[in-house]
Amino acid sequence: MLIKKLKCMERILIIGAAGQIGSELTLALRTQFGNGNVYATDIKDPPPEIREGGPFQLLDVMDDKHLIHFVIRHRITQIYHLAAVLSGNAEKLPLQAWYINMNSILNILEIARLVEDVKKVFWPSSIAVFGPTTPRKNTPQLTTMEPSTVYGISKLAGERWCEYYYKKYDLDVRSIRYPGLISYKTEPGGGTTDWAVEIFYEAIKNKSYTCFLKEDTKQPLLFMDDAIKATTRLMEIEKARLMLHTGYNIMGESLSPGDVASEIRKHIPDFKIRYNPDFRQEIAMTWPESVDDHMARLHDDWKPVYSLERITKIMIREIGLKIEKAKH
Ligand code: AKB
């Protein structure tokens, strides 16, 4: 009862609510805390259920003055900062990506430090924090980290800043190193793991896909529902029980485009895939194939429950319905 009462007092700000993670996390948090207590924001329009299901406002995380006013006016207690320039796009405009990724997290950390009502911050890290000198298989939580992409460097620096604010100001920042996320609600944009979503859309629309990675390049992947559960659980854990204030490794399965294509063919037998690796192949080769996520699993017994077989069935069904609906 007491827990329920406290939960109702939370007022949550989501930055990047129109993105791949934001569009699903907003809905999950609205179910948990009540629609009116979760303020979704982005610089672009979100899907209709985000805009219509609770408060939504266009807001730019780079605009620190508007942001701090928003946080004070709505007496925000938790901030989820999900906006970022992803790995592939960041390589095209490295300095802009660095500026956006770093200044946005610093804006959030500063606001959270200055505004007393803000008690917790969530910020997504990534498997991109690892680099070519990191062991690629079962990558440990703590290991050599020498990222060679601008996105990876910004995520590693972001992790260090999160820990700095925790140590210096006792700010309760929590983070997960997301692997490639598979989801059907909102497509990702500009990442090195985007193929794991694109492949389903193209298989359903055109029965063919040209993949930007090689057939056998394995990456750690995770279904969005498992990622959302890991995130909401991490945010619920008592502060004293947290083992890390940087990013927790998590993953579902380690899969290559060839693995996913074979599973899709069980449903669409004439699906064809071609491989035309581009610059993202090089990025993928510096990232883990799989990560050791035992620390995340220690928290409330979190473990992924969606297998490739189950994910494929869901993706084919849901994307099929979405395409049908768009026609009418
Ligand atoms: C990307 O590919 O850039 C992201 C990530 C793994 O952080 N999906």
Side-chain angles (χ1 to χ4, degrees):
M1 191 62 193
L2 180 63
I3 291 174
K4 219 170 172 187
K5 224 172 167 185
L6 287 175
K7 269 190 188 172
C8 294
M9 286 159 56
E10 298 289 350
R11 278 169 306 278
I12 308 219
L13 168 61
I14 317 249
I15 292 159
Q20 190 195 13
I21 303 173
S23 58
E24 304 220 19
L25 192 56
T26 303
L27 298 181
L29 291 171
R30 282 185 175 160
T31 305
Q32 195 178 346
F33 294 101
N35 289 352
N37 295 319
V38 179
Y39 295 83
T41 69
D42 206 305
I43 50 169
K44 57 177 191 248
D45 269 336
E49 64 262 46
I50 302 282
R51 184 180 266 289
E52 287 148 25
F56 172 78
Q57 191 170 312
L58 288 172
L59 187 70
D60 185 349
V61 65
M62 305 302 284
D63 184 349
D64 54 342
K65 291 193 179 59
H66 273 116
L67 199 57
I68 196 161
H69 282 132
F70 190 95
V71 169
I72 293 169
R73 189 168 72 241
H74 296 290
R75 290 175 297 124
I76 295 298
T77 59
Q78 294 188 21
I79 304 178
Y80 292 69
H81 167 33
L82 309 169
V85 182
L86 296 185
S87 53
N89 280 349
E91 289 310 299
K92 294 177 193 157
L93 292 166
L95 292 189
Q96 280 93 328
W98 175 257
Y99 179 77
I100 293 168
N101 289 356
M102 289 321 300
N103 284 14
S104 65
I105 176 63
L106 289 172
N107 278 349
I108 296 298
L109 292 173
E110 264 306 275
I111 289 171
R113 174 176 82 83
L114 294 170
V115 181
E116 217 186 311
D117 280 337
V118 180
K119 300 288 182 254
K120 279 187 211 170
V121 173
F122 178 80
W123 173 78
S125 185
S126 161
I127 51 165
V129 291
F130 301 113
T133 52
T134 302
R136 287 193 71 221
K137 287 196 173 109
N138 207 25
T139 303
Q141 176 68 43
L142 204 59
T143 182
T144 309
M145 291 159 115
E146 295 183 315
S148 53
T149 62
V150 72
Y151 174 69
I153 303 170
S154 75
K155 287 293 180 189
L156 181 55
E159 283 198 10
R160 303 320 306 156
W161 275 111
C162 289
E163 188 160 80
Y164 182 86
Y165 271 73
Y166 166 66
K167 289 209 165 126
K168 184 132 182 155
Y169 307 115
D170 195 29
L171 182 66
D172 187 355
V173 193
R174 305 177 184 207
S175 179
I176 286 176
R177 289 177 187 151
Y178 290 120
L181 297 177
I182 306 182
S183 66
Y184 56 84
K185 285 201 179 131
T186 307
E187 286 177 68
T192 304
T193 59
D194 289 10
W195 66 268
V197 174
E198 285 171 10
I199 193 171
F200 290 102
Y201 276 89
E202 293 305 311
I204 295 160
K205 283 198 243 171
N206 305 319
K207 293 189 179 179
S208 78
Y209 177 52
T210 303
C211 187
F212 58 79
L213 293 189
K214 289 185 186 162
E215 180 172 12
D216 58 354
T217 307
K218 288 206 186 275
Q219 293 195 301
L221 301 177
L222 184 68
F223 192 52
M224 185 60 85
D225 292 31
D226 281 328
I228 298 292
K229 204 166 282 165
T231 310
T232 53
R233 277 196 190 186
L234 178 68
M235 292 302 276
E236 286 288 281
I237 292 163
E238 263 171 72
K239 194 174 164 198
R241 286 186 52 223
L242 284 171
M243 291 172 280
L244 296 170
H245 284 272
T246 55
Y248 282 85
N249 282 0
I250 63 169
M251 69 170 279
E253 288 182 54
S254 173
L255 298 166
S256 67
D259 297 330
V260 179
S262 307
E263 194 59 37
I264 291 176
R265 255 185 233 109
K266 292 183 188 163
H267 303 263
I268 307 171
D270 47 350
F271 171 55
K272 290 197 175 42
I273 183 160
R274 282 180 54 242
Y275 298 94
N276 187 14
D278 66 16
F279 69 101
R280 287 168 285 188
Q281 177 66 35
E282 235 174 271
I283 298 178
M285 294 315 289
T286 71
W287 288 3
E289 280 187 13
S290 58
V291 296
D292 171 7
D293 61 4
H294 80 275
M295 280 179 97
R297 289 175 188 236
L298 290 177
H299 280 316
D300 291 339
D301 293 333
W302 176 83
K303 63 172 185 319
V305 296
Y306 290 87
S307 62
L308 175 61
E309 195 184 334
R310 198 163 158 210
I311 295 170
T312 305
K313 279 189 193 140
I314 298 173
M315 291 295 281
I316 289 179
R317 184 185 67 225
E318 295 298 329
I319 296 170
L321 287 171
K322 210 168 146 182
I323 292 171
E324 274 310 303
K325 209 168 151 198
K327 282 186 195 155
H328 301 295

